[in-house]
């Protein structure tokens, strides 16, 4: 049987998939499995990397996502952070951002986790690195609607962090953006900053994905002009699950689409899966993979998660070709 | 259909040239991935497979051989990623590599840095002083053992090195090239103590194997450099071999050598891979020059990082570099001479504040990461490519066939911020000056290289190669006053093309002195057997080696070269011996005549000094098997005027005759036919390069689809 990594490679090579790839974003779940607060877990790179691997193997997911910490890039740039209810909260930046975020302690820690994780997982699992996108990072650093000057200042910082993450050699580098990206519509400036980041990743031969959350569902198609290698649709602003048919065209000309599954609603998840499979068969042209709608937290029902993994595996038994 | 894939790794781009059974070719270029060269390598192969409409596996399945010129070894030296080595030498000679030779502390530095005596630093040694031990032994200059080795003492010294963390041994004893017995004994002792089935097994490199030549410093350094890069290269090449095999390649990987030959990885000494890419390019120029009946060729290759120059005279590659420097180390490998300066498309322009804000270009390069500012990979500093883009010569939407989109705004910002602003000139003026400086630097360097060797550049054909060669040929050629400039259609990947033309070859060398002519008795050497014995020993080695490469003995060809000098003189002159073996003393006369002729050509006939007698000092036996190179493909002529389909929309470009931008004719190279002529100013866009035809120049496409540039 093919490994998760082989399956994901088929997706990246746009070869036929015989079973969907499922790579949920695990975060809070780790603290439940390890029975330790996230604050403790994330302070120790070995523990963090091992628990990510352990959780992924426990549920039989196809890959791991490293760097799934929305506060990491902001902290690397000099923001302080507080833990509230075991969740990191970024505090506004005092002064100007650190010019060498890739050398900062939080980023070094994050990179160390990524390296360790990929070292142990790269044999049989897909390895994805996540990094906060420029618009969300600018919002974290400078507040809502940052100026063009702020964006110009953000670019060299992200260039450094992107290079650092590319050097860990992930299969995909994913930028995480919230509503800040689509707030003013996608324009030339958005394309310029993303072009630079794509060029860097291209040098390392790494496809670039864009993970979107908290967006208005009517604005999601506007991101297609960024010409990313793949788009991953997370939860939209109203938290309703997005049906594959509504975003399918966003994948045109890309390697494929990532679609979030609601982990607490098995029936809807099944519906999304079936629709995704049908679209893959009926409207070929790009691949598809499934992820979680937002990070898997400690509150998620583990039984539902197991059931979902079974459901995805069963698509083979049913003879579905996805 | 089978294919030969030839790969040349440069400082900025990795080039690919594929020769196919039916005579057609495929070209590709991918950025050099310095963090892991195999990534760029496989990316290029994937691109080729895509062009061919095959999967990677299908493509590699059909590949007959992969020839590779690599910089892995050089990188290991620069980055100091080699293992900790221990050296065992003759007692009393432990400081040989630190003493060096004359100005050896300046070896490998550019002439500018060389002059800055107050700041110049000796390079950090590859082996620290505490890792060198001396053993009591002595072989005299005739190869006789004067003081035998003591095994107990060697074991004692060996233990010292192991305790200090040695991960490999270099054995360099005095006069070992005359008698390697002691070096071999030490190797046996080490292998007995640390056998291969032990984890502590360590590689042993003998100077008598790697460099059996006189002169301790260069022999010790050559052996050390080889041992230092050996492990790193072996690991990297094994990894690459595994990746290729996993993807369907079934043959061994072949490495191109700096001697102008190639061998399988398993039969290659690491030190022979240094600078192999430019040497392959020079070999390509030699092969292509034959089609033009051109015996005198100046080969130039302007890439992203460096500008390489090689000279071919009389249709032969006979200019050997007697002191090839690898990184900062003076070696004695029999490499073909190639001169490199830091001038390429990626060379960074900067304002030298110590020289009253004068503008300089290079030697620093932006490389492939971050690359020129217009690559939009985070690079801030302006480069030659940025200047070419601002002046309208490069099409931002069709760079590398459209694979890389350039951003002219970033080029302008970079030139403005770093050059125009501080110098108080306009952005355009700054771009013009950057271009002129780099052209002048290259033109002057080529002129020096040719004329200082006693040649008149006007007797030569200039080959302008490299990704930026076609863009700058009209700029630097006037410094040479050559009549004809040829820009081969493969010019952007010429090193890779050159790799496809090299033979399977190795040079075997041995230092041995023979007085072949005595002035006072007017007699020639009588030790014919002794002389032939040296040649026969080298021949035996060569035959054994090439048989292991899979060739029959009757396919092997030999060429004997000799380093010779007049008695009491220091400098050596290398000749091609008219005889492979000596039959009678009269054969020595032929050798001496050849030497006199060669010496007179280099130093003038008046300088010959037969009164000192004539010595042979070193033997070089080149053993090679000719690999058939398909002739260049010829194309149907298509008249003088380019077809309308070759015309692209006009573009504004800057030209020096009117000192302004004007609408300029642009042509698509792929649509041009043999015989087409284009008068400058004009631009011709090819997949991997852009031809800039300056006013007063004519571009014509010959039957091989090579561009010929002439001043009219």
């Amino acid at each position: 049987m093919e490994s998760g990594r082989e399956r994901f490679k088929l997706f990246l090579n746009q070869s036929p998939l015989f079973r969907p790839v499922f790579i949920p974003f695990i975060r809070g779940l780790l603290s439940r499995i390890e029975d330790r607060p996230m604050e403790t877990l994330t302070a120790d790179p070995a523990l963090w990397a091992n628990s990510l691997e352990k959780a992924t193997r426990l549920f039989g997911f196809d890959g791991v996502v490293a760097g799934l910490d929305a506060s990491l890039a902001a902290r690397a740039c000099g923001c302080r952070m507080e833990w509230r209810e075991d969740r990191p909260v970024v505090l506004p930046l005092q002064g100007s951002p650190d010019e060498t975020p890739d050398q900062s302690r939080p980023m070094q820690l994050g990179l160390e986790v990524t390296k360790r994780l990929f070292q142990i997982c790269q044999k049989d699992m897909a390895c994805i690195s996540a990094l906060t996108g420029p618009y969300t990072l600018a919002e974290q650093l400078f507040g809502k609607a940052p100026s063009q000057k702020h964006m110009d200042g953000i670019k060299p910082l992200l260039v450094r962090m992107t290079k650092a993450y590319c050097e860990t050699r992930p299969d995909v580098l994913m930028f995480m953006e919230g509503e800040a990206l689509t707030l003013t519509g996608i324009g030339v400036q958005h394309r310029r900053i993303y072009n630079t980041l794509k060029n860097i990743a291209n040098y390392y031969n790494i496809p670039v994905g864009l993970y979107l959350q908290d967006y208005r569902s009517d604005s999601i198609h506007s991101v297609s002009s960024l010409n990313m290698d793949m788009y991953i649709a997370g939860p939209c602003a109203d938290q309703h699950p997005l049906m594959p048919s509504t975003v399918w065209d966003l994948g045109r000309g890309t390697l494929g689409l990532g679609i979030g599954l609601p982990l607490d609603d098995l029936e809807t998840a099944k519906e999304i899966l079936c629709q995704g499979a049908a679209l893959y068969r009926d409207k070929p042209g790009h691949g598809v993979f499934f992820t979680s709608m937002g990070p898997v937290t400690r509150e998620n029902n583990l039984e539902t998660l197991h059931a979902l993994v079974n459901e995805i595996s069963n698509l083979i038994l049913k003879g579905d070709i996805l | 259909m089978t294919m030969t894939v030839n790969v040349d790794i440069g400082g900025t781009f990795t080039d690919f040239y594929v020769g196919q059974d039916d005579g057609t070719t495929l070209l590709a270029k991918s950025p050099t991935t310095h963090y892991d060269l195999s990534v760029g390598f496989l990316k290029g192969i994937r691109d080729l497979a895509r062009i061919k409409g095959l999967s990677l596996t299908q493509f590699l399945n059909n590949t007959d051989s992969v020839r590779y010129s690599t910089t892995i070894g050089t990188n290991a030296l620069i980055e100091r990623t080699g293992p900790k080595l221990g050296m065992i030498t003759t007692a009393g000679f432990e400081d040989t590599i630190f003493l060096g030779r004359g100005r050896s502390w300046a070896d490998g530095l550019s002439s500018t840095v060389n002059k800055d005596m107050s700041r110049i630093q000796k390079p950090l040694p590859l082996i620290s002083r505490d890792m060198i031990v001396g053993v009591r032994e002595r072989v005299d200059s005739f190869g006789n053992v004067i003081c035998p080795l003591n095994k107990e003492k060697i074991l004692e010294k060996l233990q010292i090195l192991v305790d200090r963390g040695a991960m490999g041994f270099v054995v360099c004893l005095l006069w070992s090239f005359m008698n390697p017995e002691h070096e071999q004994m030490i190797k046996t002792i080490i292998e007995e103590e640390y056998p291969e089935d032990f984890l502590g097994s360590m590689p042993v490199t003998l100077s008598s194997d790697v460099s059996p030549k006189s002169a301790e410093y260069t022999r010790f350094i050559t052996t050390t450099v080889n041992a230092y890069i050996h492990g790193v290269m072996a690991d990297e090449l094994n990894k690459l071999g595994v990746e290729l095999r996993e993807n369907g390649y079934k043959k061994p990987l072949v490495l191109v050598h700096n001697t102008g030959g190639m061998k399988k990885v398993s039969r290659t000494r690491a030190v022979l891979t240094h600078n192999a890419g430019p040497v392959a390019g020079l070999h390509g120029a030699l092969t292509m020059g034959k089609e033009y009946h051109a015996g005198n060729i100046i080969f130039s290759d302007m890439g992203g990082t460096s500008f390489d120059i090689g000279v071919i005279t009389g249709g032969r590659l006979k200019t050997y570099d007697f002191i090839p420097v690898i990184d900062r180390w003076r070696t004695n490998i029999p490499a073909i001479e190639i001169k490199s300066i830091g001038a390429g498309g990626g060379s960074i322009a900067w304002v030298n504040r110590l020289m009253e804000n004068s503008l300089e270009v290079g030697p620093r390069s932006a490389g492939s990461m971050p690359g020129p500012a217009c690559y939009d990979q985070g690079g801030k500093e302006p480069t030659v490519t940025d200047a070419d883009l601002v002046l309208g010569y490069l099409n931002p939407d069709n760079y590398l066939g459209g694979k890389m989109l350039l951003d002219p705004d970033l080029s302008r910002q970079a030139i403005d911020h770093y050059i125009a602003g501080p110098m108080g000139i306009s952005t355009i003026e700054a771009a013009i000056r950057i271009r002129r400086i780099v052209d002048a630097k290259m033109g002057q360097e080529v002129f020096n290289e040719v004329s200082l060797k006693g040649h008149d550049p006007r007797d030569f054909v200039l080959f302008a190669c490299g990704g930026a060669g076609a863009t700058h040929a009209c700029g630097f050629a006037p410094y040479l006053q050559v009549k004809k400039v040829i820009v081969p259609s493969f010019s952007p990947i010429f090193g890779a093309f050159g790799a496809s033309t090299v033979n399977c070859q190795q040079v075997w060398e041995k230092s041995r002195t023979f007085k072949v002519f005595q002035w006072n008795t007017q007699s020639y050497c009588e030790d014919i057997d002794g002389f032939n014995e040296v040649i026969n020993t080298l021949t035996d080695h060569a035959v054994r080696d090439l048989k292991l490469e899979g060739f029959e003995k009757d396919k092997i060809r030999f060429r004997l070269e000799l380093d010779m000098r007049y008695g009491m003189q220091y400098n050596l002159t290398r000749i091609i011996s008219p005889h492979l073996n000596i039959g009678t003393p009269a054969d020595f006369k032929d050798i001496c005549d050849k030497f006199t002729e060669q010496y007179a050509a280099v130093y003038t006939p008046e300088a010959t000094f037969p009164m000192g007698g004539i010595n042979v000092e070193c033997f070089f036996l080149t053993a090679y098997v000719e690999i058939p190179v398909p002739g260049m493909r010829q194309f149907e002529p298509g008249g003088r005027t380019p077809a309308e389909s070759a015309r692209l929309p006009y573009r504004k470009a800057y030209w020096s005759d009117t000192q302004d931008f004007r609408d300029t004719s642009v042509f698509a190279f792929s649509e041009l036919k043999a015989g087409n002529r284009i008068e400058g100013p004009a631009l011709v866009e090819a997949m991997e390069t852009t031809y800039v035809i300056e006013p007063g120049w004519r571009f014509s496409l010959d039957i091989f689809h090579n561009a010929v540039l002439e001043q009219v």
Side-chain angles (χ1 to χ4, degrees), chain A residues 155 169 192 196 199-200 202-205, chain B residues 32-35 39 43 368 375-376 407:
Chain A
K155 189 168 151 179
R169 310 290 296 280
R192 285 196 103 129
T196 308
N199 287 344
I200 292 165
N202 185 40
Y203 171 72
Y204 289 91
N205 209 14
Chain B
T32 297
T33 47
H34 294 284
Y35 57 94
V39 173
K43 193 175 175 186
S368 50
Y375 281 16
D376 195 7
D407 189 335

PDB file of all heavy atoms in Angstrom, chain A residues 155 169 192 196 199-200 202-205, chain B residues 32-35 39 43 368 375-376 407:
ATOM      1  N   LYS A 155       8.173  42.864   3.559  1.00  0.00           N
ATOM      2  CA  LYS A 155       8.680  41.982   2.498  1.00  0.00           C
ATOM      3  C   LYS A 155      10.059  41.373   2.822  1.00  0.00           C
ATOM      4  O   LYS A 155      10.204  40.152   2.790  1.00  0.00           O
ATOM      5  CB  LYS A 155       8.701  42.753   1.180  1.00  0.00           C
ATOM      6  CG  LYS A 155       9.009  41.898  -0.020  1.00  0.00           C
ATOM      7  CD  LYS A 155       8.725  42.680  -1.291  1.00  0.00           C
ATOM      8  CE  LYS A 155       9.594  42.228  -2.418  1.00  0.00           C
ATOM      9  NZ  LYS A 155       9.338  42.941  -3.652  1.00  0.00           N
ATOM     10  N   ARG A 169      13.337  22.066   3.539  1.00  0.00           N
ATOM     11  CA  ARG A 169      12.930  21.208   2.414  1.00  0.00           C
ATOM     12  C   ARG A 169      11.560  20.550   2.595  1.00  0.00           C
ATOM     13  O   ARG A 169      11.427  19.319   2.535  1.00  0.00           O
ATOM     14  CB  ARG A 169      13.990  20.135   2.144  1.00  0.00           C
ATOM     15  CG  ARG A 169      15.409  20.651   2.020  1.00  0.00           C
ATOM     16  CD  ARG A 169      15.592  21.446   0.761  1.00  0.00           C
ATOM     17  NE  ARG A 169      15.414  20.627  -0.397  1.00  0.00           N
ATOM     18  CZ  ARG A 169      16.360  19.823  -0.875  1.00  0.00           C
ATOM     19  NH1 ARG A 169      17.547  19.775  -0.291  1.00  0.00           N
ATOM     20  NH2 ARG A 169      16.150  19.105  -1.931  1.00  0.00           N
ATOM     21  N   ARG A 192       2.761  41.441  -6.230  1.00  0.00           N
ATOM     22  CA  ARG A 192       4.214  41.687  -6.181  1.00  0.00           C
ATOM     23  C   ARG A 192       4.843  40.983  -4.989  1.00  0.00           C
ATOM     24  O   ARG A 192       5.872  40.319  -5.109  1.00  0.00           O
ATOM     25  CB  ARG A 192       4.490  43.185  -6.065  1.00  0.00           C
ATOM     26  CG  ARG A 192       4.282  43.933  -7.341  1.00  0.00           C
ATOM     27  CD  ARG A 192       4.932  45.270  -7.218  1.00  0.00           C
ATOM     28  NE  ARG A 192       6.172  45.236  -7.934  1.00  0.00           N
ATOM     29  CZ  ARG A 192       6.527  46.138  -8.831  1.00  0.00           C
ATOM     30  NH1 ARG A 192       5.768  47.150  -9.089  1.00  0.00           N
ATOM     31  NH2 ARG A 192       7.664  46.046  -9.458  1.00  0.00           N
ATOM     32  N   THR A 196       7.501  37.603  -5.167  1.00  0.00           N
ATOM     33  CA  THR A 196       8.826  37.472  -4.561  1.00  0.00           C
ATOM     34  C   THR A 196       8.909  36.173  -3.757  1.00  0.00           C
ATOM     35  O   THR A 196       9.872  35.409  -3.899  1.00  0.00           O
ATOM     36  CB  THR A 196       9.109  38.674  -3.637  1.00  0.00           C
ATOM     37  OG1 THR A 196       8.880  39.862  -4.377  1.00  0.00           O
ATOM     38  CG2 THR A 196      10.530  38.658  -3.110  1.00  0.00           C
ATOM     39  N   ASN A 199       8.968  33.201  -6.030  1.00  0.00           N
ATOM     40  CA  ASN A 199      10.268  33.056  -6.709  1.00  0.00           C
ATOM     41  C   ASN A 199      11.294  32.387  -5.800  1.00  0.00           C
ATOM     42  O   ASN A 199      12.088  31.562  -6.245  1.00  0.00           O
ATOM     43  CB  ASN A 199      10.802  34.425  -7.146  1.00  0.00           C
ATOM     44  CG  ASN A 199      10.049  34.975  -8.329  1.00  0.00           C
ATOM     45  OD1 ASN A 199       9.343  34.243  -9.009  1.00  0.00           O
ATOM     46  ND2 ASN A 199      10.175  36.271  -8.581  1.00  0.00           N
ATOM     47  N   ILE A 200      11.270  32.772  -4.537  1.00  0.00           N
ATOM     48  CA  ILE A 200      12.225  32.172  -3.604  1.00  0.00           C
ATOM     49  C   ILE A 200      11.935  30.673  -3.455  1.00  0.00           C
ATOM     50  O   ILE A 200      12.828  29.841  -3.544  1.00  0.00           O
ATOM     51  CB  ILE A 200      12.175  32.890  -2.239  1.00  0.00           C
ATOM     52  CG1 ILE A 200      12.728  34.298  -2.415  1.00  0.00           C
ATOM     53  CG2 ILE A 200      12.963  32.133  -1.180  1.00  0.00           C
ATOM     54  CD1 ILE A 200      12.426  35.216  -1.286  1.00  0.00           C
ATOM     55  N   ASN A 202      10.437  28.806  -5.495  1.00  0.00           N
ATOM     56  CA  ASN A 202      10.715  28.147  -6.770  1.00  0.00           C
ATOM     57  C   ASN A 202      12.195  27.804  -6.877  1.00  0.00           C
ATOM     58  O   ASN A 202      12.571  26.763  -7.404  1.00  0.00           O
ATOM     59  CB  ASN A 202      10.291  29.079  -7.913  1.00  0.00           C
ATOM     60  CG  ASN A 202      10.451  28.399  -9.251  1.00  0.00           C
ATOM     61  OD1 ASN A 202      10.158  27.222  -9.387  1.00  0.00           O
ATOM     62  ND2 ASN A 202      10.958  29.125 -10.227  1.00  0.00           N
ATOM     63  N   TYR A 203      13.046  28.686  -6.357  1.00  0.00           N
ATOM     64  CA  TYR A 203      14.486  28.403  -6.355  1.00  0.00           C
ATOM     65  C   TYR A 203      14.774  27.101  -5.595  1.00  0.00           C
ATOM     66  O   TYR A 203      15.652  26.330  -5.955  1.00  0.00           O
ATOM     67  CB  TYR A 203      15.235  29.575  -5.726  1.00  0.00           C
ATOM     68  CG  TYR A 203      16.690  29.312  -5.463  1.00  0.00           C
ATOM     69  CD1 TYR A 203      17.611  29.241  -6.510  1.00  0.00           C
ATOM     70  CD2 TYR A 203      17.166  29.112  -4.168  1.00  0.00           C
ATOM     71  CE1 TYR A 203      18.944  28.986  -6.270  1.00  0.00           C
ATOM     72  CE2 TYR A 203      18.500  28.862  -3.925  1.00  0.00           C
ATOM     73  CZ  TYR A 203      19.389  28.798  -4.977  1.00  0.00           C
ATOM     74  OH  TYR A 203      20.710  28.540  -4.732  1.00  0.00           O
ATOM     75  N   TYR A 204      13.993  26.888  -4.548  1.00  0.00           N
ATOM     76  CA  TYR A 204      14.182  25.658  -3.765  1.00  0.00           C
ATOM     77  C   TYR A 204      13.330  24.506  -4.316  1.00  0.00           C
ATOM     78  O   TYR A 204      13.253  23.449  -3.709  1.00  0.00           O
ATOM     79  CB  TYR A 204      13.829  25.917  -2.290  1.00  0.00           C
ATOM     80  CG  TYR A 204      14.846  26.790  -1.594  1.00  0.00           C
ATOM     81  CD1 TYR A 204      14.713  28.164  -1.564  1.00  0.00           C
ATOM     82  CD2 TYR A 204      15.966  26.242  -0.996  1.00  0.00           C
ATOM     83  CE1 TYR A 204      15.651  28.976  -0.938  1.00  0.00           C
ATOM     84  CE2 TYR A 204      16.912  27.036  -0.371  1.00  0.00           C
ATOM     85  CZ  TYR A 204      16.747  28.406  -0.343  1.00  0.00           C
ATOM     86  OH  TYR A 204      17.692  29.190   0.258  1.00  0.00           O
ATOM     87  N   ASN A 205      12.670  24.766  -5.441  1.00  0.00           N
ATOM     88  CA  ASN A 205      11.841  23.747  -6.086  1.00  0.00           C
ATOM     89  C   ASN A 205      10.700  23.288  -5.184  1.00  0.00           C
ATOM     90  O   ASN A 205      10.389  22.097  -5.108  1.00  0.00           O
ATOM     91  CB  ASN A 205      12.719  22.551  -6.485  1.00  0.00           C
ATOM     92  CG  ASN A 205      12.168  21.827  -7.694  1.00  0.00           C
ATOM     93  OD1 ASN A 205      11.313  22.346  -8.379  1.00  0.00           O
ATOM     94  ND2 ASN A 205      12.652  20.625  -7.937  1.00  0.00           N
TER      95      ASN A 205
ATOM     96  N   THR B  32      21.177  27.237 -10.304  1.00  0.00           N
ATOM     97  CA  THR B  32      22.045  26.365  -9.504  1.00  0.00           C
ATOM     98  C   THR B  32      21.605  26.446  -8.047  1.00  0.00           C
ATOM     99  O   THR B  32      21.493  27.525  -7.487  1.00  0.00           O
ATOM    100  CB  THR B  32      23.507  26.807  -9.646  1.00  0.00           C
ATOM    101  OG1 THR B  32      23.879  26.636 -11.011  1.00  0.00           O
ATOM    102  CG2 THR B  32      24.431  26.004  -8.765  1.00  0.00           C
ATOM    103  N   THR B  33      21.326  25.292  -7.480  1.00  0.00           N
ATOM    104  CA  THR B  33      20.822  25.265  -6.104  1.00  0.00           C
ATOM    105  C   THR B  33      21.988  24.943  -5.164  1.00  0.00           C
ATOM    106  O   THR B  33      22.255  23.779  -4.894  1.00  0.00           O
ATOM    107  CB  THR B  33      19.700  24.211  -5.978  1.00  0.00           C
ATOM    108  OG1 THR B  33      20.155  23.006  -6.617  1.00  0.00           O
ATOM    109  CG2 THR B  33      18.450  24.668  -6.679  1.00  0.00           C
ATOM    110  N   HIS B  34      22.654  25.997  -4.717  1.00  0.00           N
ATOM    111  CA  HIS B  34      23.878  25.806  -3.939  1.00  0.00           C
ATOM    112  C   HIS B  34      23.654  25.017  -2.652  1.00  0.00           C
ATOM    113  O   HIS B  34      24.561  24.377  -2.155  1.00  0.00           O
ATOM    114  CB  HIS B  34      24.501  27.165  -3.620  1.00  0.00           C
ATOM    115  CG  HIS B  34      24.984  27.869  -4.852  1.00  0.00           C
ATOM    116  ND1 HIS B  34      26.146  27.500  -5.497  1.00  0.00           N
ATOM    117  CD2 HIS B  34      24.468  28.873  -5.579  1.00  0.00           C
ATOM    118  CE1 HIS B  34      26.311  28.260  -6.565  1.00  0.00           C
ATOM    119  NE2 HIS B  34      25.300  29.107  -6.641  1.00  0.00           N
ATOM    120  N   TYR B  35      22.438  25.084  -2.102  1.00  0.00           N
ATOM    121  CA  TYR B  35      22.179  24.366  -0.860  1.00  0.00           C
ATOM    122  C   TYR B  35      22.206  22.859  -1.092  1.00  0.00           C
ATOM    123  O   TYR B  35      22.462  22.088  -0.189  1.00  0.00           O
ATOM    124  CB  TYR B  35      20.839  24.802  -0.253  1.00  0.00           C
ATOM    125  CG  TYR B  35      19.672  24.611  -1.192  1.00  0.00           C
ATOM    126  CD1 TYR B  35      18.903  23.463  -1.162  1.00  0.00           C
ATOM    127  CD2 TYR B  35      19.354  25.577  -2.129  1.00  0.00           C
ATOM    128  CE1 TYR B  35      17.847  23.279  -2.028  1.00  0.00           C
ATOM    129  CE2 TYR B  35      18.301  25.402  -3.005  1.00  0.00           C
ATOM    130  CZ  TYR B  35      17.559  24.253  -2.949  1.00  0.00           C
ATOM    131  OH  TYR B  35      16.510  24.064  -3.824  1.00  0.00           O
ATOM    132  N   VAL B  39      19.338  19.128  -6.411  1.00  0.00           N
ATOM    133  CA  VAL B  39      17.965  19.632  -6.617  1.00  0.00           C
ATOM    134  C   VAL B  39      17.870  20.310  -7.988  1.00  0.00           C
ATOM    135  O   VAL B  39      16.983  20.011  -8.794  1.00  0.00           O
ATOM    136  CB  VAL B  39      17.563  20.615  -5.489  1.00  0.00           C
ATOM    137  CG1 VAL B  39      16.218  21.257  -5.794  1.00  0.00           C
ATOM    138  CG2 VAL B  39      17.498  19.892  -4.161  1.00  0.00           C
ATOM    139  N   LYS B  43      15.912  19.033 -11.283  1.00  0.00           N
ATOM    140  CA  LYS B  43      14.890  19.945 -11.805  1.00  0.00           C
ATOM    141  C   LYS B  43      15.106  20.129 -13.313  1.00  0.00           C
ATOM    142  O   LYS B  43      14.152  20.108 -14.096  1.00  0.00           O
ATOM    143  CB  LYS B  43      15.017  21.288 -11.081  1.00  0.00           C
ATOM    144  CG  LYS B  43      13.857  22.217 -11.275  1.00  0.00           C
ATOM    145  CD  LYS B  43      14.047  23.451 -10.414  1.00  0.00           C
ATOM    146  CE  LYS B  43      12.953  24.456 -10.678  1.00  0.00           C
ATOM    147  NZ  LYS B  43      13.183  25.703  -9.986  1.00  0.00           N
ATOM    148  N   SER B 368      22.628  32.799  -7.943  1.00  0.00           N
ATOM    149  CA  SER B 368      21.254  32.429  -8.280  1.00  0.00           C
ATOM    150  C   SER B 368      20.304  32.775  -7.143  1.00  0.00           C
ATOM    151  O   SER B 368      19.104  32.851  -7.332  1.00  0.00           O
ATOM    152  CB  SER B 368      21.176  30.936  -8.592  1.00  0.00           C
ATOM    153  OG  SER B 368      21.796  30.198  -7.569  1.00  0.00           O
ATOM    154  N   TYR B 375      15.228  39.696 -10.546  1.00  0.00           N
ATOM    155  CA  TYR B 375      14.719  38.326 -10.357  1.00  0.00           C
ATOM    156  C   TYR B 375      13.611  38.291  -9.298  1.00  0.00           C
ATOM    157  O   TYR B 375      12.903  37.315  -9.169  1.00  0.00           O
ATOM    158  CB  TYR B 375      15.835  37.376  -9.892  1.00  0.00           C
ATOM    159  CG  TYR B 375      16.773  36.880 -10.978  1.00  0.00           C
ATOM    160  CD1 TYR B 375      16.852  37.495 -12.213  1.00  0.00           C
ATOM    161  CD2 TYR B 375      17.610  35.783 -10.740  1.00  0.00           C
ATOM    162  CE1 TYR B 375      17.731  37.044 -13.187  1.00  0.00           C
ATOM    163  CE2 TYR B 375      18.489  35.326 -11.708  1.00  0.00           C
ATOM    164  CZ  TYR B 375      18.551  35.953 -12.928  1.00  0.00           C
ATOM    165  OH  TYR B 375      19.426  35.494 -13.872  1.00  0.00           O
ATOM    166  N   ASP B 376      13.583  39.359  -8.490  1.00  0.00           N
ATOM    167  CA  ASP B 376      12.565  39.466  -7.451  1.00  0.00           C
ATOM    168  C   ASP B 376      12.638  38.293  -6.466  1.00  0.00           C
ATOM    169  O   ASP B 376      11.644  37.654  -6.153  1.00  0.00           O
ATOM    170  CB  ASP B 376      11.167  39.550  -8.094  1.00  0.00           C
ATOM    171  CG  ASP B 376      10.108  40.018  -7.107  1.00  0.00           C
ATOM    172  OD1 ASP B 376      10.490  40.392  -5.983  1.00  0.00           O
ATOM    173  OD2 ASP B 376       8.926  39.991  -7.456  1.00  0.00           O
ATOM    174  N   ASP B 407      11.437  41.903 -13.229  1.00  0.00           N
ATOM    175  CA  ASP B 407      10.735  43.117 -12.815  1.00  0.00           C
ATOM    176  C   ASP B 407      11.641  44.331 -13.051  1.00  0.00           C
ATOM    177  O   ASP B 407      12.547  44.602 -12.251  1.00  0.00           O
ATOM    178  CB  ASP B 407      10.361  42.992 -11.330  1.00  0.00           C
ATOM    179  CG  ASP B 407       9.443  44.109 -10.884  1.00  0.00           C
ATOM    180  OD1 ASP B 407       9.485  45.187 -11.530  1.00  0.00           O
ATOM    181  OD2 ASP B 407       8.702  43.926  -9.910  1.00  0.00           O
TER     182      ASP B 407
END
